[in-house]
Amino acid sequence: MAVRIDPEFRRLVRERLRDLDFNQCYQCGKCAASCPVFHRSPELLNPRKIIHMAAIGVREVLTQPPLWRCTTCYECVEQCPQTVNFVDLVVALRNLAYEMGMAPRGVQEEVETVLKQGFVYPLTGRIRQVRQRLGLPPAASDLEGVLQTLREVAS
Amino acid sequence: MSAHVLYPGCLISRRYPGFEAAARFVAKKLGMELVDREGFTCCPDPVWLRSARQDLWLRMAARNLAVAAGQNGDAGSLVALCNGCFETLNTALHLLKTDQKQREQVARFLESQGQTLSTCLQVKHLVQVVYETLGPEELKKHLVRPLEGLTLATHPGCHLTRPSDIARFDDPLNPRALDELVEALGARVLDYPTKSQCCGLPVFVTDRELSLSLAAEKIRAVAQADGLVVTCPSCFQQFETVQMLDRSLPRVPVFYYFELLALALGADPGEIGLDQHRIKADAVLARLGHAKSSAHGVSGARGTKPN
């Protein structure tokens, strides 16, 4: 597939991700060698390739599935000879994609859930019972005030 | 030992309350005071909330740090029971200490909530607290019921030790602390090549097949073990889910480390909710001399769906 460089996207990445040193990458591929997803198949995720796409300005890096397959395990970060923090890069690119409405549906749902209840997981009646039986303090507290402010920050 | 503020987390307090009971039991037996605070939110999730809205993620984490510090800002440490909470709270603390621009924005947000930014406390995982303040040798002296005869595999989980400049615990590429803490309980530890590899849970939302294949690979690698020991409820959930969904996999009961430590310190399986596991641990418990925990069973355990 031909790679299309988008100068506007390249400028956007350089401006928004300027605190990240991913331009220090010299494409050695040690990140790929240490990546558990790459080991399943290089087609699934190749960290070296993501860094390259971000550096030269290939907009498809945001929309293609590999960006969303990084588990953030940090194996590559521990091994990079150039101290490039691939996870920080992934997080920044995903934030950019989310802002542009390109994040997968499941990711959007999680943000909505956290802003709605303050937690990823609901507190069910059954869990309340189990907590009580185990002698644990109640897990609920009133978070409406802070959630309201966070929703304002989010919108 | 000094007092620690407990951060129970949302997956543990809302899905695996037995882990919280086990942690509290262990703290009590080891003479460690855990202080509860009112008003925590989700840490929040270090993978997807941070991946979507790093600004919200940092504000929520900073607020939890402020809640932990309390009115006088005098908390020494905030103790997480989950690798994800440990990662979020520690990474946020690191950012708030090193990034002045974000620090100022977050401080203003906290002021609007009547709270003060606090970066003076330390964030620790309970595993780290036990390892650093007692250590395996000292821990052995407290055991009343060692786990003799068991062979266990360990899965320390990525974020207990990585990123190493923030976690500052154990060797990030060849973690040993959990092995030592399991050996201290009297069990033999099974070594396997992919020990430090990810459980796959973070990508369950975006690529379920990949996520489960990472977990399945690890379950196959530890098939000879009597159990798989984790320090994180997300890893626990993932390793149980993959076994529920893929019946061709070997059955390996999964244990949260503090469940095993609690048993070794004399806990009854029922009082730490061991009957709530989806992959039943009855065979392992029977070998340790515990009768089937039905007397303490709660109806509805079987209704817990894999997700």
Side-chain angles (χ1 to χ4, degrees):
Chain A
M1 195 186 75
V3 172
R4 205 167 50 87
I5 294 170
D6 180 338
E8 195 191 324
F9 180 66
R10 184 168 152 163
R11 267 195 300 277
L12 179 69
V13 168
R14 288 210 170 164
E15 185 206 315
R16 296 286 293 272
L17 280 58
R18 65 178 172 274
D19 295 338
L20 307 179
D21 291 337
F22 63 97
N23 284 317
Q24 298 297 313
C25 170
Y26 51 45
Q27 294 283 301
C28 72
K30 205 166 178 185
C31 48
S34 62
C35 175
V37 179
F38 180 88
H39 273 268
R40 300 215 76 72
S41 166
E43 300 300 314
L44 291 171
L45 169 63
N46 184 342
R48 184 184 62 77
K49 203 171 157 187
I50 300 251
I51 296 170
H52 189 52
M53 288 169 88
I56 66 173
V58 181
R59 189 179 286 267
E60 285 72 22
V61 71
L62 299 186
T63 49
Q64 289 173 354
L67 178 66
W68 305 92
R69 293 192 182 116
C70 168
T71 68
T72 73
C73 77
Y74 287 92
E75 292 258 10
C76 60
V77 176
E78 297 295 337
Q79 306 212 25
C80 176
Q82 288 291 86
T83 64
V84 171
N85 193 320
F86 180 69
V87 174
D88 280 353
L89 174 65
V90 162
V91 166
L93 290 172
R94 285 174 174 172
N95 269 261
L96 205 52
Y98 183 88
E99 188 182 315
M100 297 164 130
M102 293 169 179
R105 187 64 214 141
V107 176
Q108 297 177 29
E109 281 167 5
E110 190 184 297
V111 177
E112 288 159 17
T113 303
V114 170
L115 288 177
K116 191 174 157 208
Q117 60 190 23
F119 295 90
V120 176
Y121 299 92
L123 185 59
T124 63
R126 191 186 76 84
I127 291 295
R128 282 180 208 268
Q129 274 177 20
V130 176
R131 290 190 64 86
Q132 198 174 18
R133 173 175 71 83
L134 296 173
L136 296 171
S141 48
D142 181 17
L143 300 169
E144 201 36 52
V146 63
L147 292 177
Q148 184 58 40
T149 314
L150 285 166
R151 282 179 214 124
E152 285 161 18
V153 174
S155 60
Chain B
M1 268 191 265
S2 61
H4 304 277
V5 174
L6 177 68
Y7 182 78
C10 75
L11 184 51
I12 285 188
S13 65
R14 289 156 180 258
R15 187 162 288 176
Y16 301 117
F19 297 2
E20 186 182 327
R24 288 181 189 272
F25 182 94
V26 164
K28 199 171 167 188
K29 287 285 175 187
L30 298 179
M32 188 192 302
E33 195 194 342
L34 293 179
V35 177
D36 285 295
R37 289 272 200 263
E38 178 76 16
F40 288 126
T41 62
C42 180
C43 60
D45 173 10
V47 182
W48 293 115
L49 200 76
R50 186 179 171 211
S51 283
R53 289 293 304 252
Q54 180 145 237
D55 56 342
L56 292 182
W57 168 83
L58 187 61
R59 281 167 174 76
M60 288 181 80
R63 184 184 161 281
N64 284 326
L65 293 171
V67 169
Q71 295 294 325
N72 307 318
D74 55 357
S77 62
L78 178 59
V79 178
L81 305 180
C82 158
N83 293 11
C85 303
F86 177 61
E87 182 197 4
T88 275
L89 297 169
N90 229 351
T91 305
L93 185 63
H94 176 79
L95 277 171
L96 293 168
K97 281 180 176 171
T98 55
D99 186 325
Q100 200 190 336
K101 200 173 124 203
Q102 297 203 67
R103 183 189 164 91
E104 285 166 7
Q105 289 169 350
V106 168
R108 278 197 296 277
F109 162 75
L110 289 176
E111 277 165 31
S112 78
Q113 297 300 303
Q115 274 155 332
T116 312
L117 179 73
S118 178
T119 55
C120 57
L121 43 66
Q122 288 186 303
V123 174
K124 300 268 183 185
H125 193 299
L126 186 59
V127 165
Q128 186 184 15
V129 175
V130 169
Y131 189 84
E132 289 173 351
T133 55
L134 270 127
E137 288 309 311
E138 186 63 26
L139 190 58
K140 283 179 194 170
K141 296 178 189 164
H142 293 265
L143 307 186
V144 296
R145 205 164 176 166
L147 311 182
E148 278 153 12
L150 291 184
T151 300
L152 300 168
T154 65
H155 169 81
C158 304
H159 303 134
L160 182 65
T161 62
R162 296 189 294 264
S164 56
D165 58 337
I166 291 173
R168 296 180 185 277
F169 179 57
D170 205 0
D171 182 333
L173 296 174
N174 185 23
R176 276 288 310 159
L178 182 60
D179 287 11
E180 290 175 32
L181 289 174
V182 170
E183 279 164 354
L185 305 185
R188 195 176 77 85
V189 169
L190 176 82
D191 201 9
Y192 64 107
T194 51
K195 185 174 79 179
S196 75
Q197 189 175 301
C198 179
C199 71
L201 180 97
V203 293
F204 194 86
V205 173
T206 51
D207 189 334
R208 185 170 296 202
E209 191 187 335
L210 166 66
S211 170
L212 292 171
S213 78
L214 288 165
E217 184 188 341
K218 293 209 68 156
I219 293 293
R220 284 190 204 97
V222 301
Q224 301 160 345
D226 297 310
L228 177 60
V229 187
V230 299
T231 62
C232 172
S234 292
C235 305
F236 180 94
Q237 172 169 276
Q238 175 79 342
F239 289 130
E240 282 211 331
T241 298
V242 75
Q243 293 183 67
M244 297 296 283
L245 294 176
D246 183 351
R247 296 282 167 172
S248 73
L249 284 177
R251 289 271 135 161
V252 183
V254 191
F255 296 96
Y256 179 57
Y257 177 72
F258 293 103
E259 293 180 314
L260 296 176
L261 178 51
L263 288 176
L265 293 172
D268 178 84
E271 73 183 297
I272 55 168
L274 265 160
D275 51 323
Q276 301 287 306
H277 286 208
R278 288 181 290 167
I279 306 301
K280 294 297 169 200
D282 294 345
V284 172
L285 294 177
R287 281 174 59 186
L288 294 173
H290 293 284
K292 213 171 169 203
S293 55
S294 57
H296 295 273
V298 169
S299 63
R302 263 170 290 141
T304 310
K305 295 187 295 272
N307 75 339

